[in-house]
Amino acid sequence: MTHPVKWGVLGAATFARDFMARAIHEAEGAQLVALATSSIEKAAPFQAFCPELEVFTDYDALLASDSVDAIYIPLPNHLHVEWAHKAMDAGKHVLVEKPIAMTAGEIDGVIAKRDATGLLCAEAYMIAHHPQWARVRALVTEGVIGDLVHVDVAFSYNNAADTGNIRNRADTGGGAAGDIGVYAFGCARLVTGQEPEAITSTRVVREAGVDVTTEITAKFPSFAYHGIISMRMAPYQEARFHGSKGVIVVKTPFNARVAGQAELEIRLSDHTRIETFPAINHYALQVENFCRTVREGAVYPWDLENAKGTQAMIDAVFAADQGQ
C-alpha cells in the first residue's frame, strides 16, 4: 500500500486504549492519527504510545476532519448504530466494536447506508481474522474429523463486583450475549457456514435487566450445538468440534495471547496432535485486512451480513427464552 489508511478512534474506551488503538498504531498499512474524547485526560495513555495523536474533545469534529479516512467505534453498545451512520454520513469507513447493533433488524439500515455510500463498514469480530479459526474451518470442511456431529462452546468471566461496568448496565446495552455471545454462538457459524434451524432450549439468568448467564442448545442443519456464556463464572473459554472420526479442541478460542496461547488439539483415532499459533495479534490482522479492503478492494473476512446472522441467532435465543 502506498498510502496508509488514517484512523480516528471515537471514544477513549479502556479496550481501545489497551488493544485496538495499539493495533491500529502497529498494523501495516494503517496510521493512528486522531482520538475523540470528552475527557481530555483520558487521551494521555494513547499519546504515550502515539505522541503525534491529534485529540478532539467533540466526536463530530473528529468526523469532520479531512485527515481521517476511517473510524473505529468502541462506544457503549447502544450507540454503535447511531455513530456508524454518522461516520458514514461524514464519508468515513467504519469499524464498529461488537455487537454492531442490539437487534438484527437494526443492521439492515447500516447495510443500506454502506451500500449507498460505497464505504466499508464492518463489525470488529477479530476471531474471523485469526489463522487458528481459518485452520479449524479447513479441518472441518476437509472432513479430517469426519462428519461434524456436535459443537460445544463455553466462554465466561466474572465481573460481578464491577457494578458500574457498561456490561452490567441495561441502559448501555450490556449483557453477556452482546459481549461474548457473539463469539460463543458466532464461531459455530464462522466454521460451518450454517445457520441455526431452531433454538431448542434456553436458560437465561438476568440481574438488573441484564443477561449475566445464558446456556442454550440449538439445532443446525447437520450438527447439534451447546453453548454457555456468563459474566458470573470463573474465567474460562474453550470450543470443541466433535465429529464422527475425531475432535478439534480450540484451547484459547477468543482471547488469544491474553487468556493463553492460540492452540488446537486435534484428536483422531490413532493419534493426537497440537497446532499452535504463537505471537499472532488478531486485532492487528483485523486492521490490516480492513485497510487492504479499503485500498485494494480485497474481500473482507467478516461483512455486515455475517454480523447480522450472529445477531439474529442471539435474538432467537432471547425469543425462545421468553416463549418458555
Side-chain angles (χ1 to χ4, degrees):
M1 297 179 211
T2 55
H3 301 291
V5 175
K6 297 181 179 179
W7 288 78
V9 177
L10 210 62
T14 301
F15 181 78
R17 180 195 69 203
D18 293 344
F19 294 100
M20 275 302 298
R22 292 177 183 273
I24 294 169
H25 183 60
E26 297 169 4
E28 181 180 350
Q31 183 179 356
L32 180 61
V33 299
L35 169 71
T37 173
S38 58
S39 179
I40 196 67
E41 63 271 13
K42 290 184 178 180
F46 292 82
Q47 291 173 312
F49 63 84
C50 186
E52 67 276 14
L53 192 69
E54 183 176 6
V55 179
F56 296 83
T57 55
D58 180 82
Y59 291 177
D60 290 302
L62 186 151
L63 295 184
S65 173
D66 292 333
S67 65
V68 175
D69 304 314
I71 301 293
Y72 168 62
I73 301 177
L75 298 171
N77 296 346
H78 70 300
L79 299 175
H80 289 175
V81 168
E82 174 188 354
W83 284 97
H85 278 283
K86 288 182 177 181
M88 285 188 283
D89 285 338
K92 312 300 185 187
H93 302 283
V94 194
L95 182 63
V96 188
E97 197 47 61
K98 54 76 195 165
I100 194 168
M102 300 307 302
T103 65
E106 292 181 301
I107 302 176
D108 289 333
V110 183
I111 291 173
K113 180 63 65 69
R114 176 203 65 187
D115 293 345
T117 60
L119 296 163
L120 175 58
C121 180
E123 180 183 62
Y125 193 61
M126 78 290 186
I127 70 168
H129 306 267
H130 199 296
Q132 76 168 340
W133 282 105
R135 180 62 173 153
V136 175
R137 186 165 57 242
L139 290 167
V140 171
T141 301
E142 293 165 9
V144 172
I145 60 170
D147 297 328
L148 182 62
V149 177
H150 191 262
V151 177
D152 197 299
V153 185
F155 193 8
S156 63
Y157 60 88
N158 194 332
N159 70 350
D162 191 4
T163 55
N165 191 299
I166 60 173
R167 295 167 184 81
N168 284 320
R169 292 170 49 190
D171 62 319
T172 55
D179 188 38
I180 56 179
V182 293
Y183 300 124
F185 304 156
C187 71
R189 298 181 56 255
L190 173 66
V191 167
T192 66
Q194 296 185 26
E195 303 295 342
E197 294 179 332
I199 306 301
T200 51
S201 71
T202 62
R203 181 178 69 90
V204 180
V205 179
R206 293 180 174 85
E207 294 178 8
V210 169
D211 58 291
V212 296
T213 297
T214 295
E215 183 175 12
I216 76 163
T217 58
K219 181 182 182 299
F220 281 74
S222 64
F223 65 93
Y225 173 89
H226 170 262
I228 184 166
I229 56 173
S230 182
M231 303 191 301
R232 296 297 183 269
M233 294 167 64
Y236 181 77
Q237 55 183 277
E238 185 175 274
R240 187 181 304 261
F241 294 79
H242 200 150
S244 58
K245 298 180 180 179
V247 180
I248 301 169
V249 182
V250 191
K251 293 297 189 67
T252 311
F254 310 122
N255 295 131
R257 298 204 316 165
V258 176
Q261 178 174 254
E263 179 178 296
L264 305 182
E265 182 179 287
I266 304 161
R267 304 175 185 171
L268 303 176
S269 59
D270 56 348
H271 71 282
T272 295
R273 69 177 186 266
I274 304 294
E275 297 184 8
T276 60
F277 303 80
I280 291 174
N281 184 338
H282 49 191
Y283 299 112
L285 291 178
Q286 175 176 247
V287 174
E288 289 170 1
N289 283 334
F290 191 99
C291 292
R292 273 191 288 272
T293 299
V294 168
R295 292 299 191 211
E296 303 171 12
V299 176
Y300 193 69
W302 188 257
D303 59 22
L304 292 180
E305 287 78 5
N306 282 320
K308 181 181 176 181
T310 296
Q311 187 59 54
M313 184 174 176
I314 293 173
D315 293 351
V317 167
F318 289 135
D321 182 65
Q322 291 169 1
Q324 290 184 355

